[in-house]
Amino acid sequence: MRFDLLKILLVDDNQHMRLLLIEILRAIGVRQVYEAMDGSEALAILRSTAIDVVFTDLSMNGLDGIDFVNLVRNSPDSPNPFVPIVMITGHSTERRVNEARNAGVNEFLVKPVTARGVIHRLTLLIENPRPFVRAGDYFGPDRRRRDDPRYQGERRREDDKSSLYVDDPQVGRGHPTRRI
C-alpha cells in the first residue's frame, strides 16, 4: 500500500492527539499531514487542498466532529462531499457511533488510537470503499457493510428491489439472493 501518496487531514482540538496521529502516520509512510483545531479550520483546508482522507475527533470546541461531517457531506458549498472520513472518539457508546454513522462517516476509530487501528481503517478506505448513497436526508457512504442472504426484511432502495430479489422455487418467492 502506498501510504506515502496520501494527503491526510487531522482535525482535533487536542494537540497531543494530533501529535500522536502524526507520528503513527509518519511511521507508516504518510508524508503529507495537515492539521486543524476544529471543523471550521478543517473546512478552510479542504477548500485549499485536495485531501484524500480526514481523521476527525467527535468532541471538539467550536465546530465539533458531527457538525463538521454534516457540513462536508451536505453543504452546497462543500469542497469535497465524497472525501473519506474517519471519526475518532473515546466515547464509543452505541448512540455516539450511530450519530457519527448517520452523519456520513466512513469509519470509526475508538481511543486509545493504535498504529494497527489507523492502518486497518486506511486499508478499508482504500481497498474496500463503500459506494455513496442519497436516501431521504442522508448522504454518505452506504451504511450497510455486507449483504446478508438470510435477511428477510424489506429492501428500501429501488436497485435492491430489482437486483437482490429473485424468485427461487427451492427457497420461496422473494428470497434475497443475488441474480447471476
Side-chain angles (χ1 to χ4, degrees):
M1 185 133 343
R2 297 287 313 266
F3 292 129
D4 60 314
L5 300 176
L6 294 176
K7 291 180 186 174
I8 295 182
L9 173 59
L10 304 178
V11 188
D12 197 319
D13 59 356
N14 183 317
Q15 181 182 4
H16 298 293
M17 182 54 65
R18 288 195 320 272
L19 289 173
L20 172 65
L21 284 166
I22 288 169
E23 290 302 317
I24 290 171
L25 292 168
R26 298 255 158 112
I28 64 172
V30 176
R31 294 183 183 154
Q32 297 183 66
V33 180
Y34 299 81
E35 298 178 61
M37 293 202 38
D38 66 19
S40 298
E41 191 178 335
L43 285 170
I45 292 170
L46 283 172
R47 286 188 179 96
S48 66
T49 307
I51 297 294
D52 297 306
V53 177
V54 175
F55 283 83
T56 183
D57 190 35
L58 191 145
S59 300
M60 294 181 287
N61 293 321
L63 189 64
D64 74 2
I66 298 295
D67 293 335
F68 166 69
V69 173
N70 278 318
L71 285 172
V72 169
R73 295 290 186 237
N74 300 305
S75 178
D77 66 339
S78 174
N80 185 357
F82 296 96
V83 67
I85 300 174
V86 178
M87 182 70 70
I88 302 171
T89 186
H91 311 285
S92 61
T93 64
E94 185 177 349
R95 182 181 69 79
R96 296 301 264 180
V97 171
N98 285 334
E99 189 177 17
R101 183 199 68 194
N102 291 336
V105 302
N106 296 72
E107 297 296 333
F108 202 79
L109 186 59
V110 178
K111 294 176 185 176
V113 173
T114 64
R116 178 179 289 183
V118 170
I119 292 168
H120 179 68
R121 294 326 179 280
L122 284 173
T123 303
L124 284 172
L125 292 173
I126 295 166
E127 292 185 357
N128 299 313
R130 291 184 280 150
F132 275 66
V133 297
R134 184 171 303 280
D137 62 351
Y138 174 78
F139 174 73
D142 191 342
R143 294 177 281 195
R144 299 175 297 183
R145 291 196 173 268
R146 63 189 166 280
D147 185 24
D148 184 354
R150 296 169 292 151
Y151 177 71
Q152 297 293 321
E154 177 186 352
R155 301 282 178 166
R156 293 184 299 220
R157 296 195 187 115
E158 266 324 297
D159 349 340
D160 287 347
K161 293 174 185 170
S162 63
S163 66
L164 292 178
Y165 285 90
V166 296
D167 290 335
D168 185 335
Q170 292 185 331
V171 293
R173 294 184 54 75
H175 183 73
T177 310
R178 289 209 178 271
R179 288 186 188 182
I180 298 174

